[in-house]
Amino acid sequence: MLYLDNSATTPLLPVVREAMLPYLLEEFGNPSSKYYSKAINATKAIEQARKNVANLLGCKPEELSFTSGSTETNNMVLKGVTDYYQTKGNHIITSKAEHPSILDTCKYLEDLGFQVTYLNVDKYGRVSLDNLKNALSDNTILVSIMWGNNELGSLNPIEEIAALCKESNVFFHTDATQVVGKIDFSLEDLPGISFLSCSAHKFHGPKGTGVTFIRRDEYGVPVPLTPLLHGGGQEGGIRSGTLAVHNIVGMGKAAELANNYLEENILKLKMLEEQLTNILNAKFGRKIVFNNDKINKVPGILNVQFRGVNNEILVKKLAPVIAVSTGSACSSSKPSHVLSSIGLPLEEIRNTIRFSLSHLITEEDLMVFKSL
Ligand SMILES: Cc1ncc(COP(=O)(O)O)c(C=O)c1O
């Protein structure tokens, strides 16, 4: 079976698993313990992983707090910032094409009395800078716009948004879950990004681990926010709870590899995307329509309508040969809100499936389409 659902999750690389194993076995120490070697080894492993992830994101290791993944980070930032700065303002801005972990958190915040502007997106799911400019007010405390869309792959104009937010003195959070390891960027060059979410299992690390990037100023002081989890004070008090050492080590190893092979992996993904596009066009011609943009996107995500074919039935039929999805794994039972936000009628949404590639796939693997 050919796995083409890498935006949902990616396979763990064998070398990542090897790096994790000692921390599930003999090196089981708690990094919050002291003095004995198992505790020290666990702490050292955590700090090495933090450095590796920081190298990949282009930030300082101390700007990263480990979490259970992007759902947690998105909740942490939205709830933490709005709680901490509620006396400064009660307005936040996001987009209609965000992940449910942003949209549902925004709904929750609306119930608490915050005002949320959900920006419209264009036909590829991108926000416009002008719309964002018009939505900003003296009351705005946070803007949260995803970097790359998980269904369409489109990249938002993050550099411009970050600059605008900095100029407007508003915190900017970006959900970078789908772009880490797939586009080249450095947080050092983007001072307008105050917070960022990223998740290990989207770049061949383990599930259940991610980081929250929280920018520090020139004096090393992080942007303050109310913690989501209170307790033992781990991660500088911002995220309490015993660290999942094995998972964090896995994330660190996956980040090291993603960083070392970034250019190579991007080229491979672009090449595979082009090849799959050609195969689909040759095989299905006018029976298909691509919903995704061809440029300015996360390489390796294709969002395709098969005219007149029900996507649930198609995904089910393909399942023994090819693993694909109708869209986001987090909302796969409902028609896609992302496709609805770009103006697709329900009928076309119900004809759409997402193919998402990984650099581990070979050109020969894609030949399976020819035999369909
Ligand atoms: C854009 C985006 N944000 C957030 C998430 C949630 O990440 P996690 O699985 O780490 O909670 C996903 C996962 O699909 C995603 O694609």
Side-chain angles (χ1 to χ4, degrees):
M1 190 266 295
L2 176 60
Y3 182 78
L4 294 184
D5 202 13
N6 289 280
S7 289
T9 195
T10 54
L12 194 74
L13 287 169
V15 35
V16 172
R17 192 194 58 194
E18 288 310 307
M20 292 170 68
L21 277 177
Y23 298 91
L24 282 163
L25 301 168
E26 64 277 9
E27 295 294 356
F28 59 82
N30 185 330
S32 298
S33 302
K34 284 189 202 156
Y35 307 126
Y36 53 83
S37 64
K38 284 194 193 311
I40 293 166
N41 292 347
T43 303
K44 279 188 185 156
I46 296 283
E47 293 320 316
Q48 185 56 52
R50 205 186 303 278
K51 276 187 197 149
N52 292 351
V53 181
N55 285 341
L56 177 63
L57 301 180
C59 65
K60 300 183 197 98
E62 59 272 24
E63 290 177 310
L64 300 178
S65 302
F66 287 106
T67 66
S68 64
S70 288
T71 297
E72 181 184 330
T73 295
N74 289 344
N75 272 265
M76 177 201 272
V77 174
L78 266 60
K79 291 175 184 167
V81 171
T82 47
D83 183 76
Y84 196 91
Y85 297 96
Q86 56 187 298
T87 52
K88 202 175 157 234
N90 80 335
H91 178 227
I92 57 183
I93 302 173
T94 187
S95 88
K96 289 185 178 167
E98 300 292 311
H99 188 265
S101 54
I102 293 287
L103 293 176
D104 284 7
T105 306
C106 284
K107 297 262 150 54
Y108 164 80
L109 292 171
E110 280 183 300
D111 289 343
L112 292 186
F114 290 94
Q115 276 182 0
V116 184
T117 300
Y118 300 90
L119 295 176
N120 284 328
V121 292
D122 68 11
K123 65 174 178 168
Y124 295 121
R126 297 189 187 102
V127 299
S128 102
L129 211 59
D130 283 341
N131 282 353
L132 174 58
K133 256 184 215 160
N134 291 336
L136 283 167
S137 79
D138 292 345
N139 234 354
T140 312
I141 46 177
L142 179 69
V143 171
S144 179
I145 302 288
M146 72 199 320
W147 201 319
N149 188 275
N150 47 313
E151 294 190 35
L152 294 158
S154 313
L155 297 172
N156 270 309
I158 292 301
E159 290 82 356
E160 291 87 344
I161 296 173
L164 174 64
C165 289
K166 191 157 175 56
E167 192 185 297
S168 314
N169 227 349
V170 171
F171 293 123
F172 174 43
H173 164 250
T174 186
D175 178 351
T177 310
Q178 291 291 341
V179 303
V180 173
K182 295 193 190 124
I183 64 165
D184 194 2
F185 70 88
S186 170
L187 283 167
E188 207 185 316
D189 303 333
L190 296 160
I193 297 180
S194 309
F195 307 99
L196 174 142
S197 312
C198 129
S199 183
H201 73 106
K202 306 291 184 180
F203 56 93
H204 304 280
K207 291 167 191 62
T209 296
V211 290
T212 307
F213 161 79
I214 304 176
R215 188 165 300 274
R216 295 196 175 215
D217 66 14
E218 69 258 48
Y219 307 106
V221 181
V223 179
L225 73 165
T226 307
L228 186 64
L229 302 180
H230 297 86
Q234 287 90 344
E235 298 298 88
I238 202 65
R239 203 279 189 175
S240 287
T242 302
L243 292 170
V245 184
H246 56 297
N247 273 350
I248 291 170
V249 167
M251 180 171 196
K253 192 71 194 169
E256 181 192 329
L257 293 163
N259 199 23
N260 289 349
Y261 295 97
L262 187 63
E263 249 175 72
E264 217 172 304
N265 291 348
I266 291 172
L267 279 177
K268 176 95 184 277
L269 280 169
K270 283 186 177 166
M271 186 273 290
L272 289 170
E273 179 181 314
E274 195 183 332
Q275 195 196 350
L276 181 54
T277 306
N278 293 341
I279 290 174
L280 291 172
N281 275 330
K283 180 130 190 128
F284 301 103
R286 295 221 182 125
K287 291 187 200 135
I288 60 167
V289 179
F290 288 86
N291 297 324
N292 59 274
D293 201 353
K294 289 188 183 62
I295 52 162
N296 196 15
K297 67 186 286 294
V298 180
I301 298 181
L302 290 175
N303 194 287
V304 188
Q305 278 178 53
F306 288 76
R307 289 184 206 268
V309 180
N310 178 281
N311 56 3
E312 291 290 336
I313 294 173
L314 183 58
V315 168
K316 219 169 162 179
K317 274 211 155 160
L318 286 172
V321 196
I322 306 170
V324 288
S325 64
T326 56
S328 166
C330 294
S331 49
S332 54
S333 54
K334 292 178 256 162
S336 159
H337 71 279
V338 172
L339 298 183
S340 162
S341 76
I342 65 169
L344 236 58
L346 190 59
E347 191 193 318
E348 293 182 13
I349 297 175
R350 293 213 192 277
N351 292 164
T352 295
I353 64 175
R354 175 186 68 183
F355 299 96
S356 48
L357 300 155
S358 128
H359 67 271
L360 300 177
I361 291 165
T362 64
E363 287 181 62
E364 294 76 55
D365 289 336
L366 293 181
M367 292 307 154
V368 70
F369 279 91
K370 300 212 161 150
S371 61
L372 289 181

